[in-house]
């Protein structure tokens, strides 16, 4: 035992004690010093960077109205690491040699901020308004993508270079401001100014936020340093989110003395909800999600696959650090080095095995979750998931007064199809029916099969007349093209009935609008089928221009 203790002490001195001077690296932050970068302050002040052999300089941004693109700083070599947003993948696809290392925020914090008195409720109200944002526009892609998703041309947007100051918005010189949900809302609340957030997630745009990245040159030349820097940074974030008050004291004392404790607490609380560190590993990235982000940003005009994005997404296993520094002491402790190499190999294999087991368990859990949320026949969401989305949309309505409509759909005379042609033919009709609906709803609409031949559609940001217009289009899509059944020579004409309702100020729960849509569907079925009916609060089924009172 004594011998092993001496070997351990020798290992600690030889292998862990620094043998060379710390390597200096610069990190280009994307904004001024605040809790947004708490993890990097913690990694620096708690010694994580120093233990990794790194002398780290954190370079803030945005002071005195100036802004340095973190991407340009890293690509040019002016900094080795930077903090950017999901627009980084578009920079990569456009030829900039960048590599994303970690996603600090699982959901982007950027949002459009408008004053309540402006009357702006949706992005459609922002057309031709003065929108203050960051140039180059690659820094603002999360905020521009909802316009593209809604079919609004960028030429219709009046974009103004930001001065990184809320005062133009308050003074009415601009109509919308490119801000962070973790920061500017606090300033407006302190001033007692009512505001509204136009969040990209409302329109189905959900990107990563505050991603840590480096250059391909840095990764190629210094793979050990990249791995050490990433690990130390994530250790810093774990410490910061576990000890927010301590880090707030540090920020007020050393990094941002002008910030108040209340402001930093507001920021820390908002970041917790965007990071979700209690359920998601800090820094986690899903290659499939990056692929979807790239497809959205390129408007599906480029063929992108996993292989194309492989050099962009950092995978530590592809860049295992070599043991060059340890070989320098081989002549002094060759026997010990061989013993430790064998132990390290054993530990590495154990870790790899554990990693594979964890990945297999995660894959199994993901498969079970998918099965619990998906209709096995059509691949659509099931009733349980639809109810969850309906509840979320109702809560958004209660908080922001964003309207939404609910459409109930029922295939006419479906039992006759099963009775005449058999259940396989009925399943074929259900599948084809589901695909037609899915192909002709908006990207922001949510479609589910809620039972039998019944379907439901949730239409966010949609008033009844617009919902009726879109639903009548779906009615024509179903009715105008017959369904070709397997082993049946002549195509079968199929129609559907639709019932529509929208949320109202009097609703006490989310199910109220669904119940009215179901009543409207019942009326459509009893009025001869192949109809679209709209419900109002008086119980009469009439055309209306706004939500019923």
């Amino acid at each position: 035992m004594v011998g092993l203790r001496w070997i351990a002490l020798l290992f600690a001195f030889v292998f862990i004690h620094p043998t060379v001077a710390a390597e200096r690296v610069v990190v280009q932050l994307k904004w001024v010093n605040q809790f947004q970068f708490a993890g990097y302050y913690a990694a620096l002040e708690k010694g994580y960077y120093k233990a990794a052999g790194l002398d780290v300089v954190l370079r803030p941004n945005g002071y005195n109205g100036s802004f340095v693109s973190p991407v340009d700083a890293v690509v040019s070599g002016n900094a080795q690491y930077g903090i950017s947003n999901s627009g980084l993948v578009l920079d990569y696809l456009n030829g900039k040699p960048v590599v994303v290392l970690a996603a600090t925020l699982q959901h982007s914090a950027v949002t459009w901020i408008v004053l309540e008195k402006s009357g702006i409720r949706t992005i459609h109200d922002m057309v031709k308004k003065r929108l203050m944002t960051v140039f180059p526009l690659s820094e603002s892609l999360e905020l521009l993508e909802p316009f593209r998703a809604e079919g609004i041309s960028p030429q219709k947007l009046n974009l103004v270079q930001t001065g990184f100051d809320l005062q133009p918005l308050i003074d009415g010189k601009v109509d919308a401001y490119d801000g962070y949900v973790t920061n500017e809302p606090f300033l407006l609340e302190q001033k007692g100014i009512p505001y509204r957030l136009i969040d990209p997630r409302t329109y189905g745009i959900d990107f990563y936020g505050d991603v840590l990245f480096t250059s391909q040159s840095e990764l190629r030349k210094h793979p050990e340093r990249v791995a050490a820097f990433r690990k130390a940074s994530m250790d810093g974030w774990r410490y910061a989110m576990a000890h927010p008050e301590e880090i707030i004291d540090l920020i007020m004392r050393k990094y941002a003395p002008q910030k108040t404790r209340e402001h930093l607490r507001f920021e820390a609380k908002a970041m917790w909800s965007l990071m979700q560190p209690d359920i998601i590993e800090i820094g986690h990235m899903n290659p499939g999600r990056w692929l979807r982000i790239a497809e959205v940003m390129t408007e599906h005009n480029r063929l992108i696959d996993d292989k194309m994005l492989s050099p962009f997404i950092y995978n530590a296993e592809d860049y295992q650090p070599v043991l060059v520094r340890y070989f320098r002491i081989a002549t002094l402790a060759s026997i010990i080095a061989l013993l430790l190499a064998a132990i390290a190999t054993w530990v590495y294999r154990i870790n790899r095995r554990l990693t594979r087991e964890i990945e297999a368990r995660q894959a199994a859990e993901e498969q079970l979750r998918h099965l619990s949320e998906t209709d096995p026949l059509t691949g659509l969401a099931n009733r349980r998931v639809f109810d969850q989305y309906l509840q979320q949309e109702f809560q958004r309505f209660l908080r922001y007064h964003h309207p939404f409509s609910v459409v109930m759909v029922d295939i006419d005379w479906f039992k006759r199809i099963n009775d005449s042609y058999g259940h396989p033919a009925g399943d074929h009709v259900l599948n084809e029916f589901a695909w037609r609906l899915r192909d002709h709803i908006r990207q922001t609409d949510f479609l589910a099969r809620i039972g039998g031949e019944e379907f439901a559609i949730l239409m966010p940001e949609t008033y009844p007349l617009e919902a009726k217009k879109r639903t009548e289009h779906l009615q024509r899509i179903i009715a105008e093209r017959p369904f070709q059944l397997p082993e049946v020579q002549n195509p079968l004409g199929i129609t559907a009935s639709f019932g529509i309702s929208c949320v109202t100020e009097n609703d006490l729960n989310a199910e109220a609008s669904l119940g009215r849509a179901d009543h409207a569907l019942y009326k459509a079925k009893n009025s001869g089928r192949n109809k679209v009916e709209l419900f109002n609060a008086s119980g009469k089924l009439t055309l209306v221009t706004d939500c019923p009172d």
Side-chain angles (χ1 to χ4, degrees):
M1 293 297 295
V2 175
L4 289 175
R5 188 174 300 140
W6 277 106
I7 290 175
L9 290 173
L10 180 60
F11 169 77
F13 177 79
V14 174
F15 286 87
I16 299 177
H17 186 75
T19 59
V20 295
E23 302 175 33
R24 185 177 187 273
V25 295
V26 175
V27 182
Q28 180 62 65
L29 306 181
K30 65 182 297 189
W31 194 229
V32 298
N33 286 321
Q34 53 189 5
F35 198 90
Q36 180 180 357
F37 308 110
Y40 306 106
Y41 306 143
L44 185 61
E45 302 297 333
K46 304 306 292 187
Y48 296 135
Y49 287 139
K50 183 178 180 181
L54 300 173
D55 175 20
V56 174
V57 176
L58 301 177
R59 183 188 296 160
N61 207 343
Y63 283 107
N64 300 321
S66 64
F67 180 77
V68 175
S69 167
V71 174
D72 292 342
V74 171
V75 171
S76 67
N78 193 30
Q80 285 72 47
Y81 302 90
I83 316 298
S84 187
N85 55 31
S86 289
L88 193 70
V89 70
L90 195 58
D91 289 316
Y92 165 77
L93 292 173
N94 288 333
K96 292 190 177 180
V98 290
V99 181
V100 63
L101 301 177
T104 306
L105 303 181
Q106 294 300 309
H107 306 286
S108 176
V110 296
T111 184
W112 287 115
I113 304 174
V114 299
L115 300 188
E116 184 70 34
K117 65 182 181 181
S118 70
I120 296 175
R121 296 292 181 270
T122 70
I123 62 171
H124 294 277
D125 300 329
M126 298 169 68
V127 173
K128 297 185 179 179
K129 296 291 175 52
R130 296 158 297 177
L131 314 180
M132 179 171 276
T133 188
V134 180
F135 285 75
L137 293 180
S138 60
E139 299 292 336
S140 309
L141 284 177
E142 288 106 317
L143 295 179
L144 299 180
E145 286 304 323
F147 294 100
R148 301 182 191 275
E150 290 293 299
I152 299 174
S153 169
Q155 284 71 32
K156 294 183 179 180
L157 304 180
N158 182 8
L159 301 177
V160 180
Q161 170 66 49
T162 186
F164 304 102
D165 185 1
L166 269 174
Q167 199 59 44
L169 177 68
I170 296 172
D171 295 340
K173 295 179 180 179
V174 297
D175 302 294
Y177 183 84
D178 172 352
Y180 257 50
V181 297
T182 59
N183 188 36
E184 285 82 4
F186 175 84
L187 302 175
L188 291 173
E189 290 175 9
Q190 290 293 101
K191 295 177 180 290
I193 300 175
Y195 66 91
R196 179 183 295 271
L197 302 180
I198 310 295
D199 194 330
R201 280 190 281 174
T202 302
Y203 298 91
I205 305 301
D206 188 9
F207 293 168
Y208 289 123
D210 283 11
V211 294
L212 175 64
F213 73 100
T214 188
S215 65
Q216 293 180 6
S217 173
E218 170 75 3
L219 181 57
R220 184 175 60 256
K221 295 177 181 178
H222 306 287
E224 287 181 308
R225 186 162 76 185
V226 171
F229 176 81
R230 185 191 185 281
K231 181 182 183 304
S233 298
M234 296 304 103
D235 288 343
W237 270 113
R238 281 185 282 273
Y239 187 91
M241 299 312 291
H243 306 85
E245 289 298 324
E246 177 185 342
I247 302 305
I248 286 173
D249 288 337
L250 169 66
I251 294 172
M252 294 178 66
R253 182 178 69 252
K254 186 171 182 179
Y255 291 94
Q258 75 281 5
K259 292 274 188 178
T260 66
R261 183 174 299 275
E262 291 74 17
H263 194 170
L264 292 171
R265 282 175 174 169
F266 178 93
E267 192 178 359
K269 182 178 179 181
M271 288 191 65
W272 179 277
S273 66
L274 296 172
M275 295 175 72
Q276 301 176 297
D278 53 335
I279 58 175
I280 299 177
E281 181 183 1
I282 295 178
H284 171 74
M285 297 185 299
N286 185 330
R289 189 173 175 194
W290 272 118
L291 180 61
R292 289 191 294 274
I293 291 172
E295 290 173 343
V296 170
M297 287 191 173
T298 57
E299 300 182 81
H300 299 272
N301 289 330
R302 294 176 62 174
L303 183 61
I304 304 172
D305 55 23
D306 295 336
K307 185 176 181 181
M308 182 180 295
L309 291 185
S310 179
F312 169 71
I313 304 172
Y314 176 71
N315 183 352
E317 294 186 0
D318 294 337
Y319 300 94
Q320 287 294 330
V322 295
L323 306 179
V324 175
R325 67 177 65 183
Y326 303 145
F327 292 154
R328 295 173 182 171
I329 57 104
T331 55
L332 300 176
S334 58
I335 296 177
I336 296 175
L338 290 173
L339 175 62
L340 292 173
I343 295 174
T345 300
W346 178 77
V347 171
Y348 173 76
R349 289 176 178 174
I350 293 296
N351 286 339
R352 284 293 299 273
R353 186 183 306 161
L354 288 174
T355 299
R356 287 194 293 269
E357 291 176 357
I358 291 172
E359 290 175 348
R361 183 187 304 171
Q362 290 174 340
E365 291 173 351
E366 177 64 22
Q367 184 178 12
L368 288 174
R369 184 193 64 79
H370 178 75
L371 291 174
S372 71
E373 296 179 349
T374 305
D375 172 47
L377 177 62
T378 63
L380 298 178
N382 59 20
R383 174 62 182 266
R384 185 172 70 87
V385 179
F386 182 83
D387 288 342
Q388 292 174 357
Y389 270 76
L390 183 61
Q391 289 287 347
Q392 293 172 9
E393 199 63 34
F394 184 67
Q395 293 302 317
R396 186 178 294 113
F397 169 75
L398 293 179
R399 184 170 183 180
Y400 302 112
H401 300 288
H402 288 186
F404 67 86
S405 293
V406 178
V407 181
M408 291 285 291
V409 189
D410 188 275
I411 301 176
D412 295 333
W413 307 114
F414 183 73
K415 185 176 183 301
R416 294 182 181 178
I417 299 173
N418 279 335
D419 293 343
S420 300
Y421 302 101
H423 287 280
D427 290 347
H428 179 84
V429 168
L430 287 171
N431 260 312
E432 176 66 21
F433 189 87
W435 275 103
R436 291 195 192 181
L437 292 181
R438 178 161 41 192
D439 288 346
H440 293 87
I441 62 175
R442 297 173 300 180
Q443 185 179 11
T444 53
D445 295 339
F446 186 78
L447 171 65
R449 182 189 178 199
I450 61 175
E453 65 270 23
E454 286 192 336
F455 298 78
I457 307 171
L458 183 63
M459 296 183 173
E461 304 290 341
T462 307
Y463 287 106
L465 286 184
E466 182 183 356
K468 187 171 188 294
K469 180 180 177 181
R470 294 183 180 277
T471 303
E472 287 172 341
H473 175 66
L474 295 176
Q475 179 195 22
R476 292 191 296 271
I477 291 297
I478 298 301
E480 290 177 354
R481 183 159 59 92
F483 286 59
Q484 181 65 60
L485 303 184
E487 300 180 3
V488 177
Q489 183 175 3
N490 296 320
L492 183 64
I494 292 174
T495 62
S497 299
F498 300 79
I500 308 169
S501 176
C502 83
V503 68
T504 75
E505 296 290 347
N506 297 328
D507 286 348
L508 299 179
N509 53 56
E511 290 74 17
S513 57
L514 186 64
R516 290 193 299 271
D518 194 50
H519 277 84
L521 174 62
Y522 180 79
K523 175 66 176 178
K525 298 289 283 187
N526 286 330
S527 299
R529 292 177 167 79
N530 192 23
K531 292 182 179 296
V532 175
E533 295 288 357
L534 188 61
F535 188 95
N536 70 2
S538 65
K540 298 178 181 179
L541 295 140
T542 60
L543 293 180
V544 293
T545 56
D546 290 302
C547 287
D549 297 328

